[in-house]
Amino acid sequence: MKASGFHYARPSSVEEACALLAEYGGDARILAGGQSMFATLNLRLSAPALLIDINRIESLKGIVVAEDGSYVRIGALVRHAETAASIEVARHLPLIAMAMRHVAHPAVRNRGTTCGSLALADPSAEMPACAVTLDALLILQSRDGGVRQVPAVDYFFGLYETARRDDEMLVEVLYPSCLEDEVCGFDELSRRHGDFAMVGVAARASFNEGVISNLRLTTFATDPRPILSEAAAALAEGQAWSEALGEAVAEAAVAELNPDENHFGSPAVKRLQARAMIRRVLSSTFNVPRQPAATIGVTHG
């Protein structure tokens, strides 16, 4: 099957792209990497009147660290491969570096974009879970509404549903940098390495002298959106790490899930897998000796 007919535009500025979005509204789609889009077009699951190719917009390229090192900006045209190879990402965003090892396959990473994964909001994808865990800010722009910032925890509504309006485009994401006393962990279960996750877990926390604080634990691929566990954070706050604590945190986090049954398994199976994965991620994160933030991402996860 081939895509139905559509118009094609290749703007050279964000303003021009936003003007086209304002004109076409829900009948337009943004094209960056196109790794998911072309599949839906060819299967006629999507039939936009206009494709807006943003690949000529220079301002959407690049990974930039703030002068004070407090955050990392990843532009809408940064490919997964560029993110995975970035020394600055490994140094300041070790969680992203860990997750990138699981993202798709080389051909997809070479074209697919890190922001495109957030815009699509597939619940089995790694980048939405990382954005929620890191408390990232997604920067949206439109012709009439200007620029607005949406916290990642408020951005994902459900299966392919987000806070982005039809006349808006995602132009960049701002990720807070990992602090010196913070540790991160990531792992997922998939049928083949690089396939979409069946269940996955991302974690970030402060860890001083064996005591946990500010835990952000996100489970993904079980529910229609990444689930940040408030119960896990409350249970772990101020506690010394132990395997027993890991068991309790996993139980609390799984209780907040509401999995759907699909070809990957029943809700009971998904809860079982999530519980085991959470225990594994917490154990690998808190049992590893403290190391500088610059090397955390390549030593465990």
Side-chain angles (χ1 to χ4, degrees):
M1 189 178 294
K2 294 298 182 182
S4 58
F6 55 81
H7 295 288
Y8 172 85
R10 202 171 190 184
S12 57
S13 69
V14 171
E15 292 73 20
E16 186 180 349
C18 287
L20 290 167
L21 282 173
E23 179 182 353
Y24 279 82
D27 288 330
R29 296 289 185 276
I30 296 291
L31 170 62
Q35 296 305 289
S36 297
M37 177 178 290
F38 285 121
T40 63
L41 289 175
N42 287 336
L43 291 171
R44 301 205 175 187
L45 298 174
S46 177
L50 174 69
L51 279 188
I52 304 172
D53 186 342
I54 62 173
N55 281 279
R56 283 184 176 174
I57 304 178
E58 291 295 322
S59 64
L60 299 180
K61 298 179 180 180
I63 298 171
V64 179
V65 180
E67 289 186 7
D68 62 1
S70 61
Y71 68 86
V72 178
R73 176 260 189 193
I74 297 182
L77 286 179
V78 175
R79 313 291 174 187
H80 289 311
E82 183 181 351
T83 301
S86 170
I87 294 174
E88 298 294 358
V89 168
R91 178 179 297 119
H92 296 281
L93 304 175
L95 180 64
I96 299 291
M98 293 176 189
M100 275 295 160
R101 303 169 191 165
H102 299 270
V103 174
H105 304 281
V108 174
R109 291 195 297 270
N110 286 339
R111 288 300 302 170
T113 62
T114 302
C115 285
S117 179
L118 301 175
L120 180 63
D122 190 305
S124 294
E126 296 81 5
M127 290 302 101
C130 288
V132 169
T133 305
L134 295 175
D135 199 20
L137 279 177
L138 285 76
I139 312 302
L140 303 170
Q141 186 168 337
S142 65
R143 185 191 66 184
D144 300 326
V147 177
R148 69 182 181 114
Q149 300 180 347
V150 180
V153 72
D154 297 325
Y155 182 77
F156 302 101
F157 292 164
L159 180 65
Y160 307 128
E161 293 182 317
T162 71
R164 186 187 67 82
R165 298 191 296 260
D166 287 340
D167 66 338
E168 290 180 316
M169 63 180 291
L170 178 62
V171 295
E172 62 187 20
V173 182
L174 307 180
Y175 294 92
S177 297
C178 187
L179 303 177
E180 286 296 322
D181 69 341
E182 288 185 324
V183 291
C184 298
F186 186 94
D187 206 350
E188 68 178 46
L189 173 67
S190 59
R191 288 181 172 172
R192 295 182 308 166
H193 182 79
D195 284 0
F196 278 116
M198 299 163 66
V199 60
V201 176
R204 178 184 184 180
S206 297
F207 194 46
N208 284 304
E209 299 180 354
V211 176
I212 302 167
S213 60
N214 302 317
L215 173 64
R216 294 181 67 87
L217 178 72
T218 304
T219 305
F220 67 100
T222 57
D223 290 57
R225 61 181 177 84
I227 303 299
L228 179 67
S229 176
E230 295 181 2
L235 193 60
E237 187 66 25
Q239 300 297 309
W241 166 251
S242 68
E243 294 297 335
L245 177 65
E247 292 277 356
V249 168
E251 289 291 339
V254 167
E256 294 177 292
L257 303 179
N258 187 28
D260 294 324
E261 184 165 357
N262 58 25
H263 62 288
F264 284 142
S266 68
V269 167
K270 292 179 182 181
R271 289 190 179 96
L272 182 67
Q273 293 170 334
R275 187 179 296 110
M277 188 62 63
I278 292 168
R279 292 198 305 264
R280 179 189 300 180
V281 169
L282 292 176
S283 181
S284 65
T285 299
F286 295 118
N287 277 327
V288 173
R290 285 290 297 117
Q291 302 183 42
T295 59
I296 291 173
V298 297
T299 55
H300 74 281

